[in-house]
Amino acid sequence: MNFSFLEVESPKKLKNLSKRKISFLNKKDEDVSVFHYNAVDEEIIHVVFNINDEYQVSTLKLGNQYNFSYSSLLNFFFIPNRNYAFLEYINQEFEEMVIKEINNRCGTSIDSSKFINKNFWEIYVGLNGTIKKLNYTSSDDEYLNKDYVDREEFSKIVNSSSEEIDDMTISADNQYFSIKKEGKISVDNSDEEYLINMIKKIINVI
């Protein structure tokens, strides 16, 4: 699954998502609604947003012929006492729609956030991972890549004032993670329990 890393101004206000009526049958004029809200434990909360959309079928000569309604579900995870959250990423338009809905409903400010060098280090240490691939840029705009980087070498790159990490792939808990400086994390696992534990680790170390 793919996630966007978000920064939240007032994370406790996100609990207001639970105070709105949860919609299982979304109204056609409501583009975004809360489909599911679950306080997994005392620490993390899982929200599922439903987004209404339409498939449009058309031909070159006859134009638009048929519209088929469908919906997409996006997972959202947050910890009320931490200023970060994760939103499942499908495309940029859906992400902007959900962020706008959260801000309007909760009276808070939530925006996409980028990873800097120290965040890469925090994730690497927090997940106790092994770096399989690292891409970074030097002060001369030279794009560099390595297939394996040990802890000592990675520490030097992280703390260098002339090198910026672009992305890395790490192995942790028998899973591969891809982390990009644009604030995107990808993991080849959709199990809810696994994702929750992974997200808790990352949010708590940043």
Side-chain angles (χ1 to χ4, degrees):
M1 293 184 74
N2 301 314
F3 290 93
S4 290
F5 181 62
L6 307 175
E7 189 166 0
V8 188
E9 186 179 79
S10 303
K12 290 184 179 179
K13 289 185 177 181
L14 296 179
K15 287 186 174 181
N16 289 332
L17 292 169
S18 69
K19 297 178 182 179
R20 300 294 292 266
K21 183 179 179 180
I22 296 177
S23 174
F24 293 96
L25 294 175
N26 217 3
K27 295 180 181 180
K28 289 185 177 180
D29 60 349
E30 191 175 16
D31 290 333
V32 182
S33 66
V34 175
F35 180 78
H36 172 76
Y37 183 100
N38 180 35
V40 179
D41 52 33
E42 295 181 356
E43 190 173 12
I44 194 167
I45 295 174
H46 178 203
V47 183
V48 179
F49 288 95
N50 184 78
I51 299 180
N52 278 332
D53 207 339
E54 287 186 346
Y55 281 115
Q56 295 183 337
V57 180
S58 62
T59 69
L60 181 62
K61 296 186 182 298
L62 298 179
N64 188 39
Q65 296 296 300
Y66 305 102
N67 293 338
F68 300 99
S69 297
Y70 82 101
S71 62
S72 296
L73 299 178
L74 269 70
N75 293 283
F76 176 68
F77 299 91
F78 72 93
I79 296 177
N81 63 349
R82 302 287 294 173
N83 291 94
Y84 300 106
F86 278 91
L87 174 65
E88 183 181 358
Y89 183 81
I90 295 179
N91 58 57
Q92 188 63 33
E93 184 174 2
F94 282 2
E95 178 174 302
E96 291 173 358
M97 289 172 64
V98 171
I99 289 177
K100 182 179 179 180
E101 182 70 13
I102 294 172
N103 288 337
N104 289 341
R105 287 192 180 198
C106 301
T108 186
S109 176
I110 182 169
D111 294 292
S112 56
S113 183
K114 294 184 177 182
F115 292 127
I116 59 176
N117 281 13
K118 78 178 187 70
N119 298 139
F120 282 95
W121 174 261
E122 290 163 344
I123 294 172
Y124 163 72
V125 173
L127 295 179
N128 192 27
T130 299
I131 298 176
K132 298 296 184 179
K133 189 175 184 61
L134 181 70
N135 296 312
Y136 59 102
T137 306
S138 70
S139 58
D140 299 324
D141 288 331
E142 182 182 3
Y143 192 69
L144 306 169
N145 60 79
K146 295 180 179 293
D147 289 332
Y148 175 81
V149 181
D150 62 24
R151 188 185 182 97
E152 182 178 356
E153 184 178 9
F154 187 48
S155 177
K156 291 179 181 178
I157 295 171
V158 166
N159 292 303
S160 172
S161 60
S162 61
E163 294 170 327
E164 180 183 26
I165 299 172
D166 296 297
D167 61 83
M168 72 176 182
T169 299
I170 65 173
S171 173
D173 298 327
N174 297 316
Q175 296 289 329
Y176 281 94
F177 297 83
S178 174
I179 302 105
K180 298 182 178 181
K181 70 177 181 181
E182 292 81 10
K184 296 291 187 288
I185 291 184
S186 299
V187 57
D188 189 23
N189 195 320
S190 58
D191 178 73
E192 182 182 24
E193 183 178 355
Y194 177 83
L195 291 173
I196 287 170
N197 289 331
M198 181 268 291
I199 288 170
K200 283 168 65 174
K201 286 180 181 179
I202 294 176
I203 291 180
N204 282 323
V205 298
I206 292 180

